[in-house]
């Protein structure tokens, strides 16, 4: 077998691995976090907030998850609701984490309005095919106490 045969096999193997890698990348699940300063790492070194820690833990435990942090410091449920449609369309998440409502309370906004906004975001996320987790104050748990478990749908 000459050098041409080896090169051809190497090329076939390389192309096969590249195509396989591309297929695996398309199977990657996305987790979208829509939150306020608690999720946006306000006042923290970049990459040290709970969303970054969750992303690291998911990659270690689950593998094929990509976390998209669309959080904005100062965000309200109204702001999150207005941005959610475009985020769902752009990222097509399997799971949406809503960490909103704290700034609504700080601003004295009506609880009914916050509740309606959260309900609308839950419905929109589910209609887009995502599971939804509504949370607040994730900073109360120590990072070592946080367990990441994602059940297949």
């Amino acid at each position: 077998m000459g050098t041409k045969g080896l090169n051809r096999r190497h090329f076939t193997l390389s192309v096969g691995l590249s195509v396989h890698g591309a297929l695996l990348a398309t199977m990657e699940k996305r987790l979208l976090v829509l939150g306020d300063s608690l999720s946006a790492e306000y006042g923290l070194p970049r990459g040290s907030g709970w969303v970054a820690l969750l992303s690291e833990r998911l990659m270690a435990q689950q593998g094929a998850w990509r976390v998209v942090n669309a959080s904005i410091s100062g965000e309200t449920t109204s702001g999150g609701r207005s941005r959610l449609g475009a985020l769902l369309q752009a990222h097509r998440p399997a799971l949406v984490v809503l960490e909103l409502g704290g700034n609504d309370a700080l601003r004295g906004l009506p609880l009914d309005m916050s509740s309606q906004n959260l309900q609308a975001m839950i419905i929109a996320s589910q209609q887009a095919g995502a599971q939804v987790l509504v949370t607040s104050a994730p900073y109360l748990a120590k990072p070592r106490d946080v367990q990441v478990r994602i059940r297949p749908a």
Side-chain angles (χ1 to χ4, degrees):
M1 173 170 18
T3 307
K4 282 187 173 183
L6 286 176
N7 287 341
R8 199 173 290 144
R9 283 187 183 162
H10 175 73
F11 176 76
T12 303
L13 178 61
S14 296
V15 171
L17 289 175
S18 296
V19 170
H20 180 67
L23 288 173
L24 286 176
T26 61
M27 294 180 350
E28 176 183 71
K29 294 179 185 176
R30 293 187 184 114
L31 186 154
L32 173 66
V33 178
L34 191 60
D36 55 26
S37 59
L38 299 176
S39 300
E41 298 181 320
Y42 178 77
L44 296 174
R46 197 51 72 200
S48 65
W50 76 267
V51 177
L53 296 174
L54 173 66
S55 181
E56 289 173 13
R57 179 112 3 133
L58 278 174
M59 286 304 293
Q61 292 180 1
Q62 304 286 329
W65 280 88
R66 182 168 66 98
V67 177
V68 177
N69 191 352
S71 302
I72 297 176
S73 184
E75 184 74 287
T76 62
T77 58
S78 294
R81 183 178 180 179
S82 70
R83 296 187 308 118
L84 182 60
L87 290 166
L88 290 171
Q89 189 172 19
H91 300 291
R92 304 213 184 278
L95 178 62
V96 174
V97 176
L98 300 173
E99 185 273 310
L100 292 169
N103 289 312
D104 293 35
L106 288 173
R107 295 176 186 183
L109 299 175
L111 184 57
D112 287 346
M113 182 183 76
S114 300
S115 179
Q116 289 170 4
N117 287 332
L118 286 169
Q119 189 63 37
M121 287 188 280
I122 292 167
I123 292 168
S125 298
Q126 289 173 334
Q127 288 176 342
Q131 293 183 15
V132 182
L133 171 65
V134 179
T135 187
S136 64
Y139 59 90
L140 294 176
K142 296 174 188 170
R144 68 177 185 277
D145 295 336
V146 176
Q147 296 295 318
V148 178
R149 290 190 183 101
I150 297 183
R151 295 181 304 226

